[in-house]
Amino acid sequence: MPQLMIASRLIYFLIKILFATVRACRNAIEFNSIPSIKWLVPGGYDNLKLSVILAVPPKYRDELDLDAVSAVFPYGDIEFIIQDGGMIAPSGIAIEKLGDANEDMVVVCASVTVGY
């Protein structure tokens, strides 16, 4: 896949894995803009391909909802690559009302490559 841009963020530590993954992906793309996609990518936005690498703690890998994470990206055919990584640290508190099952603070790392 020809690559146009790579954006990475070593983020986010939230107690819920979905929130952490969505935040990492949003942060990877939020300060990047390629307004000339229609000239750079043959077929424009319709042919845009995204390669999203997520480094997720193995303990939380099965809880990933990639459909929900896909909603972060307004364009493109998305390929997710999940690998072991990220981090689990103690948050110091579990709030049962918020659905916390434990005190885990989860860090997910995301890398987004745009191409065609």
Side-chain angles (χ1 to χ4, degrees):
M1 167 172 74
Q3 296 178 358
L4 301 176
M5 173 188 68
I6 297 177
S8 301
R9 293 285 181 196
L10 169 66
I11 319 232
Y12 247 88
F13 46 88
L14 294 173
I15 294 179
K16 304 275 186 201
I17 187 67
L18 177 60
F19 296 151
T21 306
V22 166
R23 181 73 63 92
C25 289
R26 280 188 182 154
N27 276 257
I29 64 170
E30 72 183 343
F31 295 111
N32 296 289
S33 176
I34 309 175
S36 55
I37 283 290
K38 61 184 175 182
W39 295 287
L40 294 172
V41 175
Y45 289 104
D46 292 335
N47 280 345
L48 192 67
K49 295 191 186 307
L50 303 174
S51 176
V52 179
I53 300 172
L54 299 173
V56 179
K59 175 179 176 180
Y60 288 97
R61 198 172 185 162
D62 292 339
E63 293 181 35
L64 277 177
D65 180 353
L66 296 179
D67 289 332
V69 177
S70 294
V72 169
F73 304 100
Y75 310 106
D77 180 30
I78 305 165
E79 171 196 26
F80 285 104
I81 300 166
I82 313 300
Q83 61 186 35
D84 290 346
M87 180 175 64
I88 299 172
S91 69
I93 189 167
I95 303 172
E96 195 173 312
K97 281 188 199 179
L98 297 178
D100 297 343
N102 54 45
E103 295 183 5
D104 287 356
M105 178 172 54
V106 180
V107 176
V108 174
C109 304
S111 173
V112 180
T113 304
V114 178
Y116 59 93

